[in-house]
Amino acid sequence: MITLIIGAIAVTLALVSAILIVNEKDVLKAIVLAGVESVFFAIALAIFLAPDLLIAYIAIGLGLNSLLFIYALKRGERYEEE
Amino acid sequence: MISLDGLLWYYIVVAILFTITCALYGIATRPHIIKKLVLLTIVSDAVYVLLVLMGYRIGATNPPVVPGGVLENPVFPSHKTIVEFMHKVVDPVPQVLIVTAIVIGLAQFVFLVTISMHLAKSTGSFDIRRIEGEKE
Amino acid sequence: MIDWILFYLGLALTLLGGAMDLIASIGFFRFKDFYMRLHAATIGAIGGGFYPLIGLALIALSLNLDVYIKAYISGVCVIAAALIALTAPAGSHILARATHRSGEVVPKVIVDRIKEDMEKGGNEP
Amino acid sequence: MVSYSVLEGVLPILFGLFTLAMIIYSLRVFTSKSVSDMVLAVDALTIDLIIIFVLIGLYYRSPYLLIGVIPLAAWILILDIVVSRYLSKGGGK
């Protein structure tokens, strides 16, 4: 019961951060917000009892993806134009 | 009569599906390439959580290992042991599928980021309209 | 006897850490500037992360579970507490230095000695 | 030996405290103006997440759920270093 409530809160905050990424003009902020969204999905994975996914998901989804995108963003412009 | 557990369950599934819809809308309408790739990671993460949710049983108390760690007959376990295992433990098959999907997804994103870096070096911008020549 | 002492000591540490974490989050929400929020982040890292992990390690040692579960939980808690106590101040310092030097957030101060030293070309901080 | 049911009465209070702090930190992340504020708030959010993982492991009495704690504690320093390198190498224009 209490674990389902925490899972519902985590999924709601992930939804809010996904909506904010779509409306964001600064791409560096969008990458950091994608890290936050991965944090909330990691809570959901721990709540629904999948510990063997966590060790791969945290290392790849949180660490390597944001590092890779910030490395690529040095080659071009930072802000998105309308 | 729907219990509170069932209502929370429906809410979680609907929220994840709505996340996927928002990210797909962003991929279709926003011009920056790196932002499109970030939104693509969100779609894949939401699909992983949805697949894990399919294998969950309400009332399960263990990750997919044997509770206690010891079987009395590992080759031919008895009927009672298997029934007890099935009532206490979530389904392990979707989790095994997703472990391979995460690793393949990393290789795919390295490939896409390399392509977009070469594209930015040859055209000077990450904007998709400037690459195609529609906007100066 | 020693089990009850460990349990209540750990419970007191964890509740104290939870209260400090809540206070730090409210302060983080209300402060105005990035350089003010560094103070709240220090309370959130040490008071809200280090103390509850030590308390949870003590709680896990005093329960009537199997030995390998207790040892695993308390060992992971102690290692994570050591990592947080070593890396959180270093990370905050690196971030504050990069923010000040790149001009991402300009501080509203009367006198700025670091900027004067950098303009004079002396030893940079 | 302390009985486990003593802890079960206290666990909802601890879950409530740390989840409330996590929600307030995430509000700060969602409404911040600059990148530095956001990264600092993500650090505090990750520390809260570590404690919630340990509480979930105590709730289910399973040590397997604590696998992700130590990579998360290392991820805090990695994000700080990557973002501050990007800012100080002149990429923020």
Side-chain angles (χ1 to χ4, degrees), chain B:
Chain B
M1 188 61 201
I2 298 177
S3 65
L4 189 55
D5 281 351
L7 272 179
L8 282 173
W9 190 254
Y10 286 142
Y11 174 70
I12 289 171
V13 174
V14 168
I16 292 175
L17 288 177
F18 198 63
T19 306
I20 295 175
T21 313
C22 287
L24 284 177
Y25 170 74
I27 288 174
T29 56
R30 296 294 186 258
H32 202 282
I33 288 183
I34 299 295
K35 199 166 162 187
K36 281 176 195 278
L37 292 181
V38 168
L39 287 168
L40 196 60
T41 59
I42 290 176
V43 174
S44 62
D45 291 349
V47 170
Y48 301 155
V49 178
L50 198 62
L51 272 175
V52 166
L53 224 63
M54 275 184 197
Y56 182 72
R57 298 189 182 99
I58 288 181
T61 61
N62 262 319
V65 291
V66 177
V70 180
L71 282 178
E72 77 278 6
N73 187 0
V75 184
F76 297 109
S78 64
H79 184 258
K80 179 172 152 295
T81 308
I82 294 175
V83 169
E84 188 183 1
F85 183 76
M86 280 183 58
H87 281 289
K88 271 189 174 180
V89 164
V90 298
D91 197 1
V93 177
Q95 302 187 9
V96 177
L97 289 176
I98 295 165
V99 169
T100 50
I102 288 174
V103 180
I104 293 172
L106 175 66
Q108 169 193 348
F109 282 116
V110 170
F111 179 62
L112 287 174
V113 164
T114 311
I115 285 179
S116 51
M117 275 167 60
H118 281 286
L119 205 58
K121 189 188 282 183
S122 63
T123 61
S125 173
F126 273 133
D127 201 334
I128 194 76
R129 295 167 299 188
R130 221 167 264 165
I131 289 172
E132 287 182 349
E134 295 175 2
K135 180 188 174 188
E136 186 47 50

Side-chain angles (χ1 to χ4, degrees), chain C residues 3 21 29 34 37 48 94 99, chain D residues 1 28 36-37 48 51 84:
Chain C
D3 300 328
D21 204 1
F29 190 70
F34 168 71
R37 284 187 193 122
I94 294 170
T99 305
Chain D
M1 284 290 145
R28 183 73 258 170
S36 306
D37 282 345
D48 265 3
I51 298 167
S84 51

Side-chain angles (χ1 to χ4, degrees), chain C residues 71-105:
Chain C
Y72 193 95
I73 291 177
S74 61
V76 166
C77 287
V78 168
I79 292 174
L83 266 178
I84 286 172
L86 286 178
T87 60
S92 301
H93 184 231
I94 294 170
L95 194 65
R97 183 176 182 271
T99 305
H100 186 274
R101 285 168 68 96
S102 72
E104 176 80 22
V105 180

Side-chain angles (χ1 to χ4, degrees), chain A residues 3-4 8-9 21 29 57-59 61 66 75 80 82:
Chain A
T3 58
L4 275 181
I9 291 173
I21 287 171
K29 272 189 190 179
Y57 183 74
I58 287 174
S66 43
R75 264 68 178 167
E80 185 184 48
E82 192 53 52

